[in-house]
């Protein structure tokens, strides 16, 4: 890994919603997120449902037009440019293979559609060859080409989604909770396929998930999000061994341990509900649920600071 393939600087994604009278409200799904991803790296993005991690991934690919901030891909600012030339280099695997695949198209046409749109082949034979190659990469074969999505299991459908994402030989793939809709028995197969493809093709991942154990297994570095902001960022092992932010500590404390004798006394149970992204608390958005909160947490927004090499957190405790 050398150099950054992707840099996100103060990314914001607000969605306007109806208000009362002259008051216009916005849902602050992503509120000033910054991080970078090195070439060949798997970067994990975790957090509870509604924290803005999937929105971050889609904003990076400009599936949503960012409200503010900068997206720099391979040294070029792509925040406001025509994305068509970059679609070949940046792809996404969606969360639910049941809804992300067109039920009226055969597997061959699903994988071949990006090739048709971008006109990356000269003959039908070349198109066929590329499709077969991509299907083989994900563990499928020629016999599957003429079948429809409903004829496959959940794990096989996700493999079709991965083959479609690989059709144009991208450098960067956003994996938007790609195993959360799958049975536990086949989640490991899909994760191992992602790792295998990364090694073979030199891919760079933004791996979005809420399962911390899965993210640790596949990711080199992990960012923890809470209510639209990054609370902590560190190498995978560093984050698990020395979590700094109270929110990260709470998340890690409730990971199930395969030991019936393990004590539950060390679990940190967060009280209260997650605040609304429409009207987040002043200062630190986590302060209403934090056991260490002080008046400073209400008065000032904590900024990301490095507490050890490669380990950053946004907390007034440091």
């Amino acid at each position: 890994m050398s150099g950054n393939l992707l840099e996100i600087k103060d990314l914001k994604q607000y969605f306007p919603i109806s208000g009362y009278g002259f008051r216009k409200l916005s849902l602050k799904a992503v509120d000033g997120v910054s991080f970078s991803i090195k070439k060949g790296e798997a970067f994990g993005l975790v957090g509870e449902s509604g924290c803005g991690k999937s929105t971050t991934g889609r904003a990076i690919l400009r599936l949503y037009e960012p409200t503010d901030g900068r997206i720099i891909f391979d040294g070029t600012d792509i925040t406001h440019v025509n994305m068509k030339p970059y679609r070949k280099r940046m792809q996404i695997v969606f969360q639910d293979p049941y809804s992300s695949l067109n039920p009226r198209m055969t597997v061959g046409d699903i994988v071949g559609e990006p090739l048709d749109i971008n006109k990356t082949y000269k003959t039908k034979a070349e198109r066929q060859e590329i499709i077969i190659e991509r299907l083989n990469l994900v563990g499928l074969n020629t016999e599957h080409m003429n079948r429809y999505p409903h004829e496959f299991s959940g794990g096989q459908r996700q493999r079709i989604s991965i083959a479609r994402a690989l059709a144009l030989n991208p450098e960067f793939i956003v994996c938007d909770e790609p195993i959360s809709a799958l049975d536990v028995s086949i989640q490991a197969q899909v994760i191992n396929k992602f790792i295998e493809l990364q090694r073979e093709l030199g891919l760079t991942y933004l791996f979005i998930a809420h399962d911390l154990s899965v993210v640790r297994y596949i990711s080199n570095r992990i960012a923890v999000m809470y209510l639209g902001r990054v609370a902590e960022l560190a190498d995978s092992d560093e984050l698990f061994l020395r979590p700094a932010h109270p929110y990260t500590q709470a998340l890690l404390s409730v990971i199930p341990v395969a030991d019936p004798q393990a004590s539950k006394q060390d679990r940190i149970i967060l009280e209260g509900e997650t605040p609304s992204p429409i009207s987040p608390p002043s200062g630190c958005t986590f302060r209403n649920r934090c056991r260490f909160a002080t008046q400073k947490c209400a008065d000032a927004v904590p900024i990301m600071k490095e507490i050890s090499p490669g380990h950053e957190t946004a907390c007034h405790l440091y």
Side-chain angles (χ1 to χ4, degrees):
M1 294 183 295
S2 61
N4 292 330
L5 180 65
L6 182 75
E7 292 181 61
I8 309 302
K9 298 184 177 181
D10 200 28
L11 183 67
K12 297 180 181 178
Q13 186 68 61
Y14 298 171
F15 297 104
I17 59 175
S18 59
Y20 295 98
F22 293 102
R23 189 185 180 196
K24 299 299 181 182
L25 301 176
S26 293
L27 189 151
K28 299 180 179 180
V30 181
D31 194 14
V33 166
S34 300
F35 57 79
S36 61
I37 304 178
K38 297 181 178 70
K39 291 182 180 179
E41 179 181 35
F43 185 91
L45 192 60
V46 301
E48 57 192 299
S49 297
C51 72
K53 54 189 187 297
S54 291
T55 304
T56 300
R58 296 184 183 209
I60 288 171
L61 296 181
R62 297 268 307 284
L63 299 180
Y64 299 137
E65 285 301 321
T67 305
D68 199 2
R70 296 175 64 199
I71 305 166
I72 301 170
F73 181 76
D74 201 15
T76 303
D77 191 330
I78 64 168
T79 315
H80 303 292
V81 303
N82 179 3
M83 283 297 290
K84 188 170 183 179
Y86 292 93
R87 294 296 180 212
K88 298 177 184 179
R89 303 176 66 186
M90 309 169 73
Q91 286 291 317
I92 184 170
V93 176
F94 292 101
Q95 176 179 359
D96 186 6
Y98 295 87
S99 60
S100 63
L101 300 177
N102 190 331
R104 297 184 179 184
M105 294 174 68
T106 63
V107 169
D109 287 336
I110 288 171
V111 178
E113 187 176 27
L115 305 175
D116 299 336
I117 293 171
N118 290 277
K119 299 178 175 58
T120 57
Y121 59 89
K122 295 179 181 178
T123 64
K124 289 186 176 180
E126 184 182 353
R127 178 183 184 271
Q128 185 95 338
E129 184 180 337
I130 295 171
I131 293 170
I132 293 172
E133 182 186 348
R134 298 302 180 269
L135 290 175
N136 289 339
L137 275 174
V138 298
L140 300 175
N141 55 52
T142 313
E143 297 176 2
H144 297 120
M145 282 185 59
N146 296 319
R147 298 184 189 176
Y148 291 87
H150 72 269
E151 300 179 66
F152 294 88
S153 67
Q156 289 175 316
R157 290 185 195 185
Q158 197 60 290
R159 287 171 184 258
I160 296 167
S161 297
I162 298 169
R164 177 178 61 183
L166 293 173
L168 298 171
N169 283 322
E171 301 163 50
F172 174 68
I173 298 180
V174 173
C175 307
D176 185 11
E177 302 201 43
I179 62 166
S180 62
L182 306 178
D183 293 338
V184 175
S185 58
I186 57 175
Q187 286 183 358
Q189 297 175 23
V190 175
I191 288 294
N192 288 330
K193 178 55 66 176
F194 272 114
I195 294 173
E196 180 185 327
L197 290 170
Q198 184 186 27
R199 290 171 181 165
E200 289 182 13
L201 306 176
L203 296 170
T204 303
Y205 292 144
L206 172 61
F207 198 90
I208 300 167
H210 58 262
D211 189 326
L212 283 160
S213 300
V214 168
V215 174
R216 183 184 189 183
Y217 181 66
I218 195 173
S219 303
N220 304 102
R221 291 186 300 145
I222 298 173
V224 179
M225 280 190 72
Y226 182 81
L227 207 65
R229 298 175 185 171
V230 173
E232 188 167 359
L233 193 161
D235 290 343
S236 298
D237 291 339
E238 172 72 11
L239 188 80
F240 275 73
L241 293 173
R242 286 173 286 275
H245 197 281
Y247 177 60
T248 309
Q249 294 170 0
L251 287 181
L252 296 180
S253 74
V254 296
I255 294 178
V257 179
D259 180 6
Q261 304 301 321
S263 172
K264 297 181 180 180
Q265 295 179 355
D266 295 332
R267 291 188 178 180
I268 303 169
I269 307 300
L270 297 178
E271 298 181 358
E273 297 291 330
T274 304
S276 169
I278 299 173
S279 55
S282 62
C284 177
T285 54
F286 184 64
R287 64 180 176 82
N288 292 340
R289 306 176 73 190
C290 181
R291 53 199 174 130
F292 303 114
T294 64
Q295 185 58 42
K296 185 178 181 181
C297 301
D299 295 339
V301 176
I303 60 172
M304 290 291 285
K305 54 183 74 73
E306 192 172 56
I307 58 174
S308 65
H311 191 165
E312 301 175 51
T313 188
C315 182
H316 290 305
L317 293 174
Y318 301 90

